[in-house]
Amino acid sequence: METNQGDETVLTTEVEVHPTSLHDEPSAIPGSIEEDKELLKYLEKEFSKRQARLLKAQTTLNEQQSILQQAETRQETAHRLYTLSKNMMDQIKREGQLKSSQSGPRDESSRHGRSLSSMDQSRQALVDRTITTLKDAISELQAATSDLTIARRNVVTADAFLRYSHRSLRAVGYIKGFTKGFIDDEYSATLPTPQLPESVWRMIFAYVVAEDSLLPLEPRDRHQEWSFRCAPLALSHVSKEWRRITTSTPTLWVNVQVVFTTERRLRSALFHRLVGLSTGAPLNIIITLTTDISNVVNQLTNAFTEDHRVHTIACQVSDDAAPSLRSLLDIIPATQNLYLRGLSIDAGPASNTVKLPTKHVMSATNISIYNVLLERQPPFFLVPPPPWHLHTLRIDLVSLFRIDIGGTAPSLRRITITHPPTYNQIPPWYENAVGPNVENVAATELIVHPMSRAHLLPLVRYISRLKQVKRMEICGGSVQPIIGTMKDNIDSGQSVWLPALSELVISDYEQHGTELGLYIAKRLTTAQEGLKAETQSIQPLTKFTMNRCPNISADIVGLIEQHCKAGQELTKRTGADSEVVPPQSA
């Protein structure tokens, strides 16, 4: 439509406005749920009917079993009667009573003849009764046997019906339970989200995501994948409200899984998003590598900022992926706790080494190593010692012989030695390994886990060279060989092992403890002799603790405690007149 306004022509458009014709359709789910509830009621009635039928079937089976017992009793009675009648008939045959007393003519008028006739009549009457009884016994036995056969069939039929009733009841019960579960789930889905405070939701979500800090489980075969999950990501997809709560709670996103295997590849965009949602909360980086990751590390370089802090780095790496681990660790901020676990890494010298960035080793206070060959370069061989803060080292025995912490870890206080992995073949260097610079290890606490027989000799060889250990805890099967060799050492008069040892803890000791008591007593005597000669070079035991050692008698325990008290007194005295009388040994 055109209109003239002066010299200008204005084009106007008329728009026809239609009223809104659409409206929100109500959901048909609530009505359908009510209809399904009627089905549930019907199923409950059918379930009750089948329960009654099962009870009736059980009663019928009991009755048929009772009838069967009666039939068996009747058959046994008939069989005994038949046997008795047959035996009597056989006896009559053997005695010849079926024959008459005289084969020729008999004079019935004589007294003798009348007597013979009377005998023949009695004999015949007995034979007739026996034959009649035998026939009746045979008939009764046949009838009882027939009833027994029928009773057995009836029991089998009743038992089959009972089993059918059981299956029918279970089938209806399964359908009823499945239907009820379906209705309950669908009904719950129609309800609004419970109105709980955000703090409560955060506590619930924190409990759900707790397992994300664990290393994924290794698949049982090559057709399966590594099992891991990102729980907060799943929670954020439930509803808009849950998404708002999860994305505004940084502590829910602190567990970041890095999985790079032949079955699963790392998604860099998702990694950036997960790290970004933590917004400053201390992170736990869980790394699983079975293939080389060097080609994708550059995609993650900008994921961390100066505000990010890392509490724990847990790594499990295969031999093929070991060389590329450092490139990934280089982009991760320094951590306090470092856990390294080797996957299918051979103990031989041909294994690939794991290169640790210096920033992680210098900042970590707890390092755990299991079946990992570390690179024989800094930080473990830095001279002079770097200012790093390693406090606790947890390591398997074989890996312990492959690193040097002597003089390079001045803050080290605790070493926990665990059983090494099961190798197909123990490396040849392991039998004579002594470990580098063991005398300079600064650790004052040593914890030894149970060891198999093949690892006891290298373990004792390593322990014998430690100089600074003041507290030692020995567990399980390691107690007896270690205590035994330490007793032999102190008896030999040579340089005493663990000269600074003053506290001993043993757990799960199954022996009677004689060598243990003798060792503690001999150590006290040696320390006292050294003190008298003003050349004291070892410390006596002053504290002893037992955990789960039921075979050690109370007398030995009391004697050990007395020696420890004497050791405490000895350490308090420093003069030449310091003489402590040791307790009498058992």
Side-chain angles (χ1 to χ4, degrees):
M1 177 179 176
E2 295 183 0
T3 58
N4 293 327
Q5 296 181 357
D7 296 336
E8 296 180 357
T9 301
V10 180
L11 296 178
T12 61
T13 303
E14 294 183 357
V15 178
E16 185 177 359
V17 179
H18 299 280
T20 301
S21 58
L22 300 178
H23 59 277
D24 293 333
E25 293 289 342
S27 175
I29 294 180
S32 301
I33 291 178
E34 294 300 324
E35 294 178 359
D36 291 340
K37 286 182 178 179
E38 296 298 324
L39 172 62
L40 183 60
K41 293 179 181 179
Y42 171 77
L43 292 174
E44 289 176 348
K45 292 180 180 179
E46 292 297 321
F47 186 76
S48 299
K49 290 181 181 179
R50 280 156 179 78
Q51 282 182 323
R53 186 170 66 185
L54 177 63
L55 181 61
K56 182 179 179 181
Q58 184 65 55
T59 303
T60 302
L61 177 61
N62 294 337
E63 293 176 353
Q64 294 299 329
Q65 289 176 341
S66 178
I67 294 174
L68 176 60
Q69 292 178 356
Q70 295 175 5
E72 289 175 347
T73 302
R74 180 188 175 189
Q75 198 266 351
E76 291 176 359
T77 304
H79 189 270
R80 285 198 299 269
L81 180 60
Y82 167 75
T83 303
L84 181 61
S85 302
K86 188 174 182 300
N87 292 339
M88 185 178 295
M89 179 60 68
D90 292 340
Q91 183 178 1
I92 292 174
K93 290 180 179 180
R94 285 193 301 270
E95 294 178 353
Q97 295 182 11
L98 295 178
K99 299 179 180 180
S100 60
S101 57
Q102 185 176 359
S103 57
R106 180 183 306 161
D107 185 7
E108 297 295 338
S109 60
S110 66
R111 183 177 179 181
H112 180 67
R114 289 194 299 270
S115 176
L116 292 177
S117 298
S118 177
M119 290 176 59
D120 290 341
Q121 292 175 1
S122 300
R123 186 184 300 111
Q124 187 63 37
L126 177 61
V127 171
D128 293 341
R129 287 196 303 270
T130 302
I131 293 174
T132 303
T133 303
L134 180 59
K135 291 180 178 179
D136 294 341
I138 293 174
S139 300
E140 177 64 16
L141 180 60
Q142 292 175 346
T145 303
S146 177
D147 288 347
L148 178 61
T149 303
I150 296 174
R152 287 174 177 171
R153 289 201 299 265
N154 291 341
V155 168
V156 172
T157 303
D159 182 68
F161 180 66
L162 179 63
R163 294 176 182 273
Y164 169 81
S165 301
H166 269 295
R167 295 193 298 271
S168 177
L169 181 65
R170 286 199 301 268
V172 176
Y174 173 79
I175 297 173
K176 180 176 76 78
F178 182 83
T179 304
K180 186 177 184 303
F182 168 77
I183 293 175
D184 291 343
D185 293 341
E186 295 298 324
Y187 178 73
S188 299
T190 61
L191 298 176
T193 303
Q195 299 300 318
L196 297 177
E198 288 189 10
S199 59
V200 177
W201 280 119
R202 289 191 174 96
M203 293 175 61
I204 297 174
F205 293 162
Y207 178 80
V208 174
V209 304
E211 292 186 0
D212 282 8
S213 61
L214 304 177
L215 285 168
L217 298 178
E218 189 172 0
R220 296 182 178 179
D221 55 60
R222 61 185 182 87
H223 300 290
Q224 297 179 345
E225 296 183 358
W226 290 82
S227 60
F228 77 100
R229 63 175 187 171
C230 182
L233 188 64
L235 293 173
S236 65
H237 284 68
V238 173
S239 65
K240 182 179 180 180
E241 181 65 13
W242 283 21
R243 183 176 183 82
R244 184 187 65 79
I245 295 175
T246 53
T247 54
S248 63
T249 308
T251 55
L252 298 178
W253 305 89
V254 297
N255 301 315
V256 181
Q257 293 275 0
V258 179
V259 180
F260 196 80
T261 66
T262 55
E263 299 84 10
R264 191 180 296 272
R265 290 292 184 264
L266 177 68
R267 291 185 293 173
S268 58
L270 177 61
F271 182 81
H272 281 78
R273 177 59 174 162
L274 296 180
V275 173
L277 288 171
S278 64
T279 60
L283 293 169
N284 298 318
I285 310 297
I286 299 93
I287 302 173
T288 300
L289 301 181
T290 61
T291 57
D292 186 28
I293 198 175
S294 302
N295 57 343
V296 296
V297 169
N298 57 351
Q299 303 176 12
L300 310 177
T301 53
N302 298 326
F304 297 97
T305 64
E306 296 181 355
D307 296 332
H308 285 107
R309 293 174 297 159
V310 178
H311 179 266
T312 301
I313 297 178
C315 308
Q316 53 184 2
V317 56
S318 66
D319 191 61
D320 296 336
S324 64
L325 178 61
R326 178 167 184 170
S327 59
L328 177 60
L329 295 178
D330 277 334
I331 66 174
I332 301 176
T335 183
Q336 297 178 353
N337 303 282
L338 185 61
Y339 176 86
L340 301 174
R341 175 173 178 261
L343 299 171
S344 304
I345 293 181
D346 187 21
S351 299
N352 292 321
T353 58
V354 175
K355 302 177 182 180
L356 297 179
T358 304
K359 64 178 179 180
H360 291 299
V361 180
M362 294 181 64
S363 64
T365 59
N366 297 278
I367 297 180
S368 297
I369 301 174
Y370 187 78
N371 193 29
V372 170
L373 177 61
L374 297 179
E375 184 186 28
R376 285 186 171 272
Q377 288 182 2
F380 294 103
F381 278 88
L382 286 181
V383 179
W388 61 327
H389 308 288
L390 177 62
H391 180 275
T392 301
L393 176 64
R394 181 184 176 92
I395 187 169
D396 69 275
L397 184 59
V398 176
S399 298
L400 180 62
F401 283 104
R402 294 187 286 184
I403 65 173
D404 182 3
I405 52 176
T408 62
S411 300
L412 182 61
R413 291 296 175 263
R414 181 187 299 114
I415 299 177
T416 301
I417 305 177
T418 62
H419 195 283
T422 303
Y423 298 111
N424 294 330
Q425 184 177 2
I426 297 179
W429 58 263
Y430 178 64
E431 295 182 0
N432 300 319
V434 292
N437 298 326
V438 180
E439 295 83 356
N440 298 323
V441 173
T444 59
E445 181 177 352
L446 179 66
I447 301 175
V448 181
H449 285 206
M451 294 287 170
S452 61
R453 186 181 301 272
H455 301 287
L456 288 175
L457 183 59
L459 173 64
V460 172
R461 191 163 53 241
Y462 188 90
I463 293 177
S464 65
R465 301 177 61 193
L466 295 171
K467 301 298 183 182
Q468 306 297 326
V469 173
K470 298 180 180 180
R471 181 183 185 274
M472 181 168 65
E473 180 177 349
I474 319 175
C475 305
S478 300
V479 177
Q480 179 67 18
I482 292 178
I483 295 298
T485 52
M486 291 176 67
K487 175 184 173 298
D488 295 339
N489 162 254
I490 204 169
D491 287 339
S492 65
Q494 300 177 359
S495 177
V496 179
W497 299 345
L498 302 177
L501 182 65
S502 60
E503 181 180 354
L504 180 62
V505 180
I506 63 174
S507 302
D508 302 313
Y509 186 40
E510 299 179 356
Q511 303 297 326
H512 296 288
T514 304
E515 292 185 347
L516 176 64
L518 293 176
Y519 166 73
I520 295 176
K522 185 63 176 179
R523 188 179 180 93
L524 174 62
T525 303
T526 304
Q528 186 178 9
E529 292 174 353
L531 185 61
K532 286 182 179 180
E534 298 182 356
T535 59
Q536 183 181 12
S537 58
I538 70 168
Q539 293 291 329
L541 286 179
T542 59
K543 186 176 181 181
F544 175 75
T545 305
M546 284 191 317
N547 299 316
R548 302 177 300 277
C549 303
N551 293 333
I552 300 182
S553 64
D555 294 337
I556 294 180
V557 173
L559 182 62
I560 292 175
E561 291 177 350
Q562 293 179 24
H563 280 87
C564 290
K565 290 180 182 179
Q568 295 173 7
E569 293 295 329
L570 182 61
T571 55
K572 295 178 182 178
R573 304 185 182 187
T574 57
D577 59 342
S578 57
E579 181 176 356
V580 178
V581 180
Q584 295 295 324
S585 299

